[in-house]
Amino acid sequence: MFTNKQLRRLVIPLVLEQLLSVTIGMADTMMVASCGEAAVSGISLVDTISVLLIGMFGAMASGGAVTVAQYIGKKDREKVARASNQLFLSVGALALVFMALALIANRQILTLIYGDIDGEVMRNARIYFYFNAVSFPFLGIYNSGAALFRAVGNSKVSMQVSLFSNLLNVAGNALFIYGFQMGVSGAALSTLISRSLSALVICFLLLHKGDVPVSRKIGIDKPILHKILYIGVPNGLENSIFQVGKILVSSLTASFGTAAITANAVTGNVGNFQLIPAGAVGAAIITVVGQCVGAGEYRQARRYLFRLLRTAYFFVAGIGVFLIIFREPICGLYQLSPETTQLTGLLLVYNCICCMLVHPLSFALPNGLRAAGDVRYTMVVAIASMWVCRIGLAYLLAKGLNLGVLGVYIAMTVDWLVRGICFVTRVLTGKWEKYMGVLTKEET
């Protein structure tokens, strides 16, 4: 169903888009670094919470993308249009709820999660959180539109909009942080502006480019919405509990002091570059496997799944080696203290090596299961592994054995390993295949 050229046209823009997406967080962190480590720490704490909330409507967008991809494979344009409409309604409503929650309970949420942290870190975190909350609906709209373009195999559009957004964000950072000396407020305002304009652009392209049929009728379509929720709700629960676990672990990391918080933030920022291929391949898997399943080409779905995974491993290994070799000059860009620099270097090397070994199996492979409709298994595995390995083991290693933030990273990678083993086993035994086609069955 897909030629080599079509796969390249799908994956390469996704890699570039993921790369550009990561630079938003890096641009904020690196440019705010001139304001001190308290500013970097404040942004990193809020980013952890924001990922939890954003991940929920991102999961809904994935549910819509899987549904649309399967209907495209079935060549049912009417259902594609109806699914597109329901995707925007569900994601938009959820994003508005989370925006209101974050605006009303700003301090309470931060205090509940992180407790008694440094006063300056808390002040910066509250400022950044307010701006991020306002941007949630715009980010939800963009994610929905981008998911639809990817579902039809046109990832170039979302890549171009992401390029526009990132360039705007960097320019805004320079203006507000360095020009107007606004610090964290400037970084947050720049991100808000870039997200809002990218949402407007993606909507304009959806309505006028014609790649994705979109129904202009406003209203709830229960059969189609049910199909989106069938994927989106388990995926959302999985993502949310995963992020809750990360927040709990982040709270544990915060107890080790500002150096640990900052080292963790910088390692996450830099390490995200290595995860770009796996993230891009994961998004491509939804499109490719989804369309194959919709067309009833189950054998091709399996073949493309493993082919794309090999591609992910090739790029993850290459980027990992690069980051390890150049870790010292990279850390130097963040203007860290000697203690924080040493800790960051250790965490980065460990993280890169583990990513090269197991990360694609843990996070790209399960997208193939989701695209086929096998979402409950991925949810159960992810939740169980999170609580037992990432959280339980983290407290045991970091606190019980006094390994500090390194213990947190060891527990995280054990979580990756357990997930990978479970997902590979599911595919090799063929149990995921019985869910194929469940979404495209006719409504009764």
Side-chain angles (χ1 to χ4, degrees), residues 248-259:
L248 292 175
V249 174
S250 179
S251 179
L252 173 62
T253 302
S255 68
F256 298 124
T258 301

Side-chain angles (χ1 to χ4, degrees), residues 24 99 131-143 161 164-166 168-169 176 188-204:
I24 285 186
M99 179 187 72
F131 282 94
N132 256 261
V134 177
S135 75
F136 288 165
F138 300 109
L139 190 57
I141 291 171
Y142 168 75
N143 283 346
V161 178
F164 162 77
S165 176
N166 277 268
L168 186 63
N169 183 67
F176 297 131
L189 179 59
S190 178
T191 299
L192 170 60
I193 293 173
S194 65
R195 286 177 175 175
S196 60
L197 290 179
S198 65
L200 293 175
V201 171
I202 203 82
C203 285
F204 176 84

Side-chain angles (χ1 to χ4, degrees), residues 153-185:
N154 189 351
S155 57
K156 185 178 179 180
V157 170
S158 57
M159 183 269 291
Q160 291 172 334
V161 178
S162 182
L163 174 60
F164 162 77
S165 176
N166 277 268
L167 291 175
L168 186 63
N169 183 67
V170 171
N173 280 336
L175 175 64
F176 297 131
I177 296 175
Y178 299 137
F180 295 153
Q181 300 294 310
M182 293 175 64
V184 170
S185 298

Side-chain angles (χ1 to χ4, degrees), residues 176-240:
F176 297 131
I177 296 175
Y178 299 137
F180 295 153
Q181 300 294 310
M182 293 175 64
V184 170
S185 298
L189 179 59
S190 178
T191 299
L192 170 60
I193 293 173
S194 65
R195 286 177 175 175
S196 60
L197 290 179
S198 65
L200 293 175
V201 171
I202 203 82
C203 285
F204 176 84
L205 292 174
L206 273 172
L207 294 174
H208 294 88
K209 193 172 179 60
D211 289 42
V212 185
V214 179
S215 173
R216 296 174 186 251
K217 295 180 180 179
I218 299 176
I220 296 177
D221 186 328
K222 290 184 179 179
I224 297 293
L225 184 60
H226 177 268
K227 294 177 185 296
I228 293 175
L229 295 178
Y230 177 86
I231 301 293
V233 170
N235 197 20
L237 288 174
E238 174 188 336
N239 187 277
S240 297

Side-chain angles (χ1 to χ4, degrees), residues 1-30:
M1 290 182 63
F2 294 87
T3 65
N4 290 335
K5 183 178 180 180
Q6 287 175 318
L7 289 176
R8 286 195 297 269
R9 289 176 60 185
L10 176 63
V11 173
I12 292 176
L14 284 171
V15 171
L16 294 175
E17 181 183 351
Q18 294 275 347
L19 174 64
L20 293 169
S21 178
V22 169
T23 61
I24 285 186
M26 288 199 68
D28 282 344
T29 305
M30 292 174 65

Side-chain angles (χ1 to χ4, degrees), residues 350-427:
Y350 178 83
N351 188 72
C352 287
I353 292 174
C354 292
C355 282
M356 286 188 277
L357 296 175
V358 73
H359 193 276
L361 294 179
S362 307
F363 294 95
L365 175 59
N367 271 359
L369 305 183
R370 296 185 187 104
D374 191 9
V375 289
R376 292 176 184 173
Y377 179 80
T378 62
M379 177 185 70
V380 171
V381 168
I383 293 174
S385 181
M386 162 62 70
W387 286 101
V388 174
C389 299
R390 188 176 292 237
I391 298 176
L393 190 59
Y395 276 87
L396 175 62
L397 296 177
K399 288 286 190 180
L401 299 182
N402 296 317
L403 293 179
V405 69
L406 178 60
V408 172
Y409 272 71
I410 293 174
M412 175 185 71
T413 51
V414 171
D415 173 39
W416 294 355
L417 178 61
V418 171
R419 289 167 182 259
I421 292 173
C422 291
F423 296 142
V424 169
T425 301
R426 187 71 166 183
V427 172

